[in-house]
Amino acid sequence: MSVLPVPEHESAPAPPPRPRRRMGRIVLTFFLWIVGIIAIIIVGLAIYASTPSFKNRIRQVIIARLEDSTGGRVEMKQFGWRLTHLAFEIDDLTIHGLEAPGQVPYAHLDRLYVRLQILSFFRPKIALNYLEADHPVIHLIVNPGGSTNQPQPKHPSNASTTDEIFNLQIGRTVLNNGLAIFNERSVPFELRANDLAAQVSYVPSSGHYVGTIHAEDIVASRGFDTPVHSALDASVDVGRNTANLISLTLQSGPQNRLPKTVIRVAGTLSNFSDPQWQFQIKGAIDALEIRALTGAPGLEGGTAQLDAGGSGNREQFKVDGNAAITGGAYRQGTVFITGVTAKAAAHVTQDLIAITGIRATVAGGSLTGEMRVVNWKTASTQPGHGFRSKAPIEK
């Protein structure tokens, strides 16, 4: 009986197994320690960041930054935040300009609420998701010599460069109960806007502020009117005694539809104490949107095409333009007029108002003519004088 030989590879002993499980436990324990240390650091920073002393320190940093960028004296009553919501809040923020003691300050707001959004955890990219301001007030004083209460930013070391004051992109902006004051005239305003981008810089070499603003969806309404959705693009250049509206384009209409109103405006204003001005405006304006924005009674429909321009000062000026109305409708009480079409040319100076080339169609009838008012400015300043016209309404 013969015995078969055992192959060499089957007779060799197997190598002992590597300690993989022990290595995995060591790596896992080390990782948990790192995570725990990071968590302790984050919790410690969060606790320290919520202390009154740290909040006050950040408040002082913000005040110093605002004073450097605006040149005014800044007051801030309180600053706080909620880290879990990435939200910040400022109460009673005031920027004092060159106005006299006791006058309304250059800028003020009762409350500012800001909420951030982290766009990327791998890169330091954060956006303003929401901004809300309660009772913002802007006050501009123009003195007889042309100077204003507008402060100037502190001069940087290199006067040839541009100092950026702010550059913001905000998902949603809400301004409640706002007020703009120009000398003694007050203009209230409200604002609701989506995708707002605003940039303002100061140019030391010229002493001018330059800025741009873009808003995708500005919503405005009054009463029960359908809200008006508008888009705005504007570029401005403002000095201590000049203001230049380089361009402004406003488009508005029902949401998700082609705009019914498209207006383009440009103009300049110089020497605030004795204003010298010029402007150019062109576009189409929808009557229903005018009613929604201004509350003008009676407007029920129609579109106005406008092309006008002018220049001058308080004493001598000239404005020329053309206007055309299609599909006009007006309601007042029991009177309702529809299907109005009209066009005319206007020429206005300090001595003359001339409306020429009037052609109108109302309720199946037609009207042609012209109107001239001479020395209207002088007459309007004298009690008991002026041009008046009143026609009876046929029912």
Side-chain angles (χ1 to χ4, degrees):
M1 181 177 180
S2 61
V3 179
L4 296 175
V6 180
E8 184 178 352
H9 66 277
E10 292 184 5
S11 62
R18 296 180 180 179
R20 294 182 178 179
R21 294 183 179 180
R22 181 178 298 178
M23 182 67 67
R25 290 177 181 177
I26 294 175
V27 173
L28 178 61
T29 303
F30 180 76
F31 176 76
L32 292 176
W33 271 100
I34 295 297
V35 172
I37 293 173
I38 294 175
I40 293 173
I41 293 175
I42 293 176
V43 172
L45 290 176
I47 295 175
Y48 176 64
S50 62
T51 61
S53 60
F54 185 79
K55 290 182 178 180
N56 184 64
R57 183 177 179 181
I58 297 299
R59 184 179 70 89
Q60 295 297 333
V61 171
I62 295 175
I63 289 175
R65 175 58 180 165
L66 288 175
E67 289 181 340
D68 288 340
S69 61
T70 64
R73 181 172 61 86
V74 177
E75 295 178 354
M76 183 190 302
K77 182 178 180 180
Q78 187 174 351
F79 173 80
W81 60 70
R82 299 175 63 186
L83 293 179
T84 55
H85 294 77
L86 293 178
F88 301 82
E89 188 170 347
I90 293 174
D91 293 332
D92 285 336
L93 175 63
T94 302
I95 301 176
H96 295 275
L98 305 180
E99 61 274 353
Q103 290 183 311
V104 177
Y106 177 67
H108 173 82
L109 54 85
D110 290 349
R111 171 181 169 269
L112 177 66
Y113 176 82
V114 176
R115 188 168 63 241
L116 304 180
Q117 179 184 11
I118 298 177
L119 300 179
S120 174
F121 286 97
F122 303 100
R123 293 181 297 172
K125 192 173 183 180
I126 298 176
L128 285 180
N129 187 41
Y130 182 82
L131 183 147
E132 181 177 0
D134 293 335
H135 192 46
V137 178
I138 304 295
H139 183 208
L140 181 64
I141 301 173
V142 179
N143 300 310
S147 61
T148 69
N149 66 320
Q150 174 184 296
Q152 286 189 341
K154 297 180 179 180
H155 295 288
S157 57
N158 187 356
S160 64
T161 61
T162 298
D163 184 20
E164 186 175 78
I165 296 177
F166 64 81
N167 189 346
L168 298 177
Q169 291 185 351
I170 309 171
R172 175 69 173 169
T173 303
V174 178
L175 303 182
N176 300 313
N177 192 24
L179 187 66
I181 305 174
F182 182 77
N183 283 349
E184 301 299 327
R185 298 181 181 180
S186 300
V187 180
F189 65 89
E190 301 270 345
L191 176 65
R192 305 286 188 275
N194 295 328
D195 298 326
L196 176 67
Q199 185 271 334
V200 174
S201 299
Y202 178 69
V203 183
S205 58
S206 62
H208 284 204
Y209 293 88
V210 293
T212 59
I213 185 171
H214 170 80
E216 289 288 343
D217 188 14
I218 304 173
V219 182
S221 65
R222 293 172 64 97
F224 297 100
D225 279 312
T226 303
V228 175
H229 295 259
S230 304
L232 174 69
D233 284 280
S235 178
V236 297
D237 184 328
V238 180
R240 294 193 59 83
N241 205 24
T242 61
N244 181 16
L245 178 59
I246 300 172
S247 66
L248 183 148
T249 301
L250 176 67
Q251 303 181 64
S252 63
Q255 194 174 18
N256 300 324
R257 296 183 184 179
L258 292 176
K260 291 185 176 181
T261 295
V262 179
I263 303 174
R264 293 178 173 85
V265 185
T268 60
L269 177 66
S270 59
N271 192 6
F272 295 157
S273 61
D274 184 17
Q276 309 284 325
W277 51 267
Q278 70 87 19
F279 77 94
Q280 187 72 37
I281 180 172
K282 187 174 183 179
I285 304 174
D286 183 71
L288 294 181
E289 295 176 10
I290 294 178
R291 186 184 68 184
L293 295 175
T294 66
L299 296 177
E300 292 291 328
T303 301
Q305 298 285 340
L306 181 64
D307 187 355
S311 61
N313 53 36
R314 290 176 179 175
E315 301 300 326
Q316 294 185 336
F317 52 87
K318 181 179 70 172
V319 176
D320 291 287
N322 297 281
I325 299 174
T326 57
Y330 180 83
R331 184 189 298 273
Q332 189 68 38
T334 59
V335 177
F336 179 59
I337 302 173
T338 186
V340 178
T341 61
K343 66 178 181 178
H347 174 74
V348 180
T349 68
Q350 67 280 356
D351 302 317
L352 173 67
I353 297 179
I355 311 297
T356 60
I358 299 175
R359 295 180 179 274
T361 301
V362 181
S366 61
L367 172 68
T368 61
E370 64 179 33
M371 181 187 74
R372 295 177 183 271
V373 182
V374 181
N375 296 327
W376 65 274
K377 188 177 180 183
T378 303
S380 64
T381 59
Q382 299 177 1
H385 295 275
F387 177 85
R388 296 183 181 180
S389 175
K390 185 177 181 181
I393 299 175
E394 297 182 0
K395 298 184 180 180

